[in-house]
Amino acid sequence: MMTRDIEVAGERLTLHAQRAIHWPSRRTLLVSDVHFGKGAVFRRAGIAVPSGDTEDDLARLDALIAEFEPARLVVLGDLVHGAATERSAWVERVRMWRRAGDSWP
């Protein structure tokens, strides 16, 4: 995947095309625009969109974590797209993903 190293205030940062920044000296991965539940919110509003967006988002995060092996993951914004309901399956899927993350480095 496409990356580019830059220097900010004397720190090397790696910009990643998957909306992420790796900060090696802090072992930190910064991500943005996760939007968990976006498809569900759209479907509730009557907008026909395919399901599976949460799985795609989790796969993106898993790939970034595997590539950079961060000690910390920071979400800069837009973690969820809208309010969850009692039928929002994506919430439990994200919880399961997070529990599995307890074994990350």
Side-chain angles (χ1 to χ4, degrees):
M1 190 52 65
M2 187 120 168
T3 63
R4 178 176 180 213
D5 287 344
I6 63 171
E7 188 173 312
V8 176
E11 291 283 335
R12 182 175 62 87
L13 303 175
T14 301
L15 307 180
H16 195 284
Q18 288 294 320
R19 300 183 312 271
I21 300 171
H22 181 235
W23 189 356
S25 70
R26 303 287 184 179
R27 297 193 58 220
T28 298
L29 181 64
L30 307 158
V31 298
S32 65
D33 300 320
V34 179
H35 287 277
F36 287 131
K38 183 176 183 177
V41 170
F42 282 0
R43 286 188 294 280
R44 275 199 317 263
I47 301 168
V49 296
S51 60
D53 54 323
T54 297
E55 290 303 322
D56 292 344
D57 292 331
L58 294 174
R60 173 175 77 99
L61 294 175
D62 281 340
L64 288 163
I65 290 165
E67 182 173 348
F68 294 111
E69 298 181 353
R72 179 179 313 109
L73 174 67
V74 177
V75 179
L76 300 173
D78 296 327
L79 177 63
V80 297
H81 191 78
T85 69
E86 65 279 354
R87 296 186 327 248
S88 296
W90 64 267
V91 174
E92 184 53 32
R93 179 61 186 99
V94 171
R95 285 182 180 143
M96 289 171 39
W97 177 82
R98 179 59 192 100
R99 284 191 296 269
D102 288 340
S103 64
W104 295 331

